[in-house]
Amino acid sequence: MFYGAIEAGGTKFVCAVSDENLTIQDRISIPTTTPEETLTEVFAFFDQYDLYSIGVGSFGPIDINQASETFGYITSTPKKGWNNFNFVGALKERYLVPIAFTTDVNAAAFGEYYQGSAKANHSCIYLTIGTGVGGGFVLNGQIIDGFGHPEMGHVLLKPHPEDAYHGHCPYHGNCLEGLACGPAIEDRMGQKAETLGETLGYWEIEAYYLAQALVNYTLVLRPEKIILGGGVMKQAQLFQLIREQFAALLNNYVEVPHLDEYIVSPGLIDNAGVTGCLLLAKEAK
Ligand code: ADP
Ligand code: ZN
């Protein structure tokens, strides 16, 4: 018997199965196209295994309220074909096993909490800066959701005085995602973020936005660790720039851990999401 994991991203789905010790036995990566096409491949993968349960970490926004009529749906995504898609329903039709359903970033935070950078801590935030920006918060082993899941990527920020960019988010413009996601960088600079050199002055501006958001999360949640992942954070110089601007903005108002240990990269590297999904599968009832 196996635990199943689906890390459902806007670009790709990573599916994996593990043994009872959560050691991964098989995994595949499938491009995210239409629900029909993508799920056909997801089913072909999992049909090979006898499953105990499945943990799903999905791109969002999603409905995680068990009492809601649209529980298990991907809700207002601009991604074609996936708007109002009954994701958990489609899985349940195929597999009569418990299914845990949360956001991709909640799952990654869960993975990092138990097995990654925060495994010695009681709380952590995981934030991804990629095609979009999103975050999850784990406290004392629990993913923290309220009326819905957090949307840490859409906190509103003060524009940098030297940045005239109008923002990429159709809802807010100057939210963290609108100002700092990969496509916002590309839009502003006219080239893909991964082709920009590490010494470019723009990274100070990127760090300014991320630092503002991290100050806000710190003041609201007082996490023990903030883990930054996603494609944009492959620009490793950002970590130090963010720490410096974070210190300047927080201005010692509250005590935080040493910044080198507070604002860190994922211990599980690119496996935080899948690991979190497997851990959630193990807990699923
Ligand atoms: P997704 O968010 O789709 O799951 P990623 O986390 O890989 O995937 O994020 C993709 C975004 O990250 C793209 O906008 C891409 O331009 C940007 N990106 C990927 N690699 C780098 C890099 N080395 N430096 C800066 N930006 C990058
Ligand atoms: Zn927004």
Side-chain angles (χ1 to χ4, degrees):
M1 296 277 282
F2 297 86
Y3 292 113
I6 305 176
E7 189 188 9
T11 314
K12 64 178 192 304
F13 272 46
V14 178
C15 300
V17 288
S18 79
D19 63 17
E20 282 164 40
N21 300 319
L22 303 189
T23 306
I24 293 176
Q25 303 295 318
D26 193 6
R27 69 186 286 158
I28 50 159
S29 177
I30 301 162
T32 312
T33 56
T34 62
E36 295 71 31
E37 263 177 29
T38 305
L39 285 190
T40 301
E41 292 194 54
V42 169
F43 294 158
F45 176 76
F46 286 117
D47 283 357
Q48 304 172 89
Y49 300 98
D50 197 4
L51 299 171
Y52 290 116
S53 56
I54 304 174
V56 183
S58 174
F59 72 91
I62 61 176
D63 187 345
I64 54 161
N65 176 2
Q66 305 250 13
S68 157
E69 277 181 12
T70 52
F71 167 74
Y73 281 56
I74 296 179
T75 57
S76 49
T77 176
K79 208 166 163 53
K80 229 170 145 249
W82 294 88
N83 198 1
N84 287 321
F85 174 63
N86 184 357
F87 193 177
V88 171
L91 293 170
K92 283 222 176 259
E93 252 177 46
R94 186 93 177 182
Y95 305 107
L96 291 170
V97 298
I99 294 175
F101 186 57
T102 192
T103 61
D104 45 4
V105 281
N106 274 347
F110 204 65
E112 286 291 318
Y113 178 87
Y114 280 107
Q115 296 194 4
S117 289
K119 68 181 172 201
N121 300 112
H122 298 291
S123 58
C124 72
I125 285 174
Y126 179 93
L127 190 76
T128 183
I129 304 101
T131 307
V133 178
F137 179 50
V138 174
L139 175 65
N140 296 326
Q142 298 285 315
I143 290 172
I144 305 301
D145 295 309
F147 186 70
H149 57 78
E151 283 285 359
M152 297 194 192
H154 293 266
V155 293
L156 303 178
L157 302 178
K158 192 166 66 171
H160 189 285
E162 284 161 33
D163 184 24
Y165 183 57
H166 52 83
H168 194 264
C169 175
Y171 293 90
H172 316 113
N174 63 313
C175 63
L176 175 62
E177 177 170 299
L179 293 168
C181 69
I185 301 172
E186 185 176 340
D187 208 13
R188 194 190 265 115
M189 308 301 290
Q191 61 187 92
K192 289 214 167 290
E194 52 269 48
T195 64
L196 297 169
E198 67 177 73
T199 56
L200 187 81
Y202 171 73
W203 297 119
E204 287 282 348
I205 293 176
E206 180 77 11
Y208 176 74
Y209 292 134
L210 286 162
Q212 276 193 65
L214 268 45
V215 166
N216 293 339
Y217 307 151
T218 296
L219 294 172
V220 176
L221 300 170
R222 301 300 303 276
E224 289 178 20
K225 216 166 262 292
I226 300 179
I227 299 156
L228 303 179
V232 173
M233 292 311 300
K234 305 272 178 203
Q235 298 278 344
Q237 75 281 5
L238 274 173
F239 283 93
Q240 202 47 34
L241 297 176
I242 293 167
R243 289 181 193 121
E244 283 162 18
Q245 302 220 40
F246 177 92
L249 289 167
L250 188 65
N251 201 16
N252 289 321
Y253 179 63
V254 291
E255 197 185 341
V256 291
H258 190 287
L259 292 188
D260 290 345
E261 278 144 39
Y262 184 53
I263 300 170
V264 299
S265 56
L268 298 168
I269 313 188
D270 293 323
N271 273 330
V274 165
T275 304
C277 290
L278 289 170
L279 287 160
L280 287 166
K282 196 163 183 177
E283 285 191 357
K285 286 188 195 75

